[in-house]
């Protein structure tokens, strides 16, 4: 158990370290364009005025912060699954693998310890959480049932995961595995439960 927890923490920190800089910079630039589109800001604003406007929206607009978090985690997922992967001659070589904590290494002929199965679930947990928050901003209805939220999170994450796997197949980056889709959906489901709990806590405080 200690080995599993240590491996998950180490690999997650490495993944964050590798993708955070690129994802953060791209998200900041993308949100600049979002401000110009939604707030009607003038494109000819100076750098200082544009930065002040961006910081003002980030501090005062909760929807802006939620969208920022969603875009950031989406880019981190794309960086890890598509943008920062090596080319593979046969992406379907291990399509049924990836279910356990050990994978067979063709180079050494031995089973190597890996935590990719848990990482695939953890990867989509925050993504599902922030995606549901963004969807709720567009939906005036409150107090969704756990079944509705779970179904929404599973559908959204399943579509995203399938899209990533198809792109990996055609671009030949990484390996396509059914286990990745299952663990991604599991992470999305857990993110949906976390969102449902958070929503209930916030609504109960408002009623008090």
């Amino acid at each position: 158990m200690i080995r599993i927890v240590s491996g998950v923490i180490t690999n997650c920190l490495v993944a964050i370290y590798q993708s955070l800089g690129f994802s953060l910079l791209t998200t900041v630039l993308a949100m600049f364009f979002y401000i110009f589109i939604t707030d009607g800001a003038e494109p000819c604003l100076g750098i200082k005025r544009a930065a002040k406007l961006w910081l003002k929206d980030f501090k005062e607009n909760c929807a802006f912060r939620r969208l920022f978090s969603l875009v950031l985690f989406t880019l981190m997922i794309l960086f890890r699954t598509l943008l920062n992967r090596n080319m593979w001659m046969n992406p379907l070589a291990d399509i049924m693998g990836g279910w356990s904590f050990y994978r067979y290494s063709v180079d050494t002929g031995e089973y190597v310890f890996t935590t990719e199965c848990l990482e695939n679930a953890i990867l989509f947990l925050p993504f599902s959480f922030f995606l549901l928050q963004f969807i709720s901003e567009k939906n005036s209805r409150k107090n969704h049932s756990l079944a509705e939220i779970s179904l929404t999170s599973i559908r959204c994450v399943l579509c995203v995961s399938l899209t990533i796997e198809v792109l990996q197949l055609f671009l030949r980056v990484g390996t396509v595995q059914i286990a990745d889709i299952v663990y991604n959906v599991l992470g999305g489901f857990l993110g949906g439960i976390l969102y449902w709990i958070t929503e209930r806590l916030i609504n109960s405080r408002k009623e008090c």
Side-chain angles (χ1 to χ4, degrees), residues 51-67:
K52 288 181 179 179
L53 182 61
W54 194 98
L55 290 173
K56 180 182 177 182
D57 268 18
F58 189 84
K59 291 179 181 178
E60 300 177 358
N61 193 341
C62 183
F64 183 87
R65 293 194 298 271
R66 290 177 177 177
L67 181 59

Side-chain angles (χ1 to χ4, degrees), residues 68-188:
F68 178 89
S69 301
L70 176 60
V71 174
L72 177 62
F73 274 97
T74 302
L75 288 172
M76 291 179 70
I77 289 174
L78 293 177
F79 183 88
R80 180 166 176 78
T81 58
L82 294 174
L83 302 178
N84 191 34
R85 300 296 294 270
N86 295 325
M87 295 277 300
W88 291 76
M89 294 304 296
N90 185 11
L92 297 173
D94 194 25
I95 190 171
M96 297 304 297
W99 294 98
S100 66
F101 293 106
Y102 291 90
R103 63 178 175 83
Y104 182 77
S105 176
V106 180
D107 298 329
T108 62
E110 299 177 351
Y111 284 92
V112 181
F113 178 77
T114 177
T115 56
E116 288 184 2
C117 53
L118 288 182
E119 292 170 34
N120 286 328
I122 296 173
L123 187 67
F124 277 83
L125 195 155
F127 170 79
S128 175
F129 180 83
F130 289 117
L131 179 62
L132 289 170
Q133 280 191 331
F134 177 75
I135 293 175
S136 67
E137 292 286 341
K138 306 298 181 180
N139 190 353
S140 58
R141 181 189 167 192
K142 302 297 181 181
N143 297 323
H144 298 83
S145 67
L146 179 59
E148 290 176 325
I149 290 177
S150 300
L151 187 59
T152 301
S153 62
I154 290 174
R155 285 177 176 174
C156 293
V157 173
L158 180 60
C159 290
V160 174
S161 182
L162 284 173
T163 302
I164 290 174
E165 295 298 320
V166 171
L167 288 175
Q168 285 182 338
L169 176 62
F170 284 100
L171 298 177
R172 293 188 177 184
V173 289
T175 56
V176 178
Q177 293 180 328
I178 297 177
D180 291 349
I181 301 175
V182 174
Y183 284 117
N184 290 343
V185 172
L186 175 61

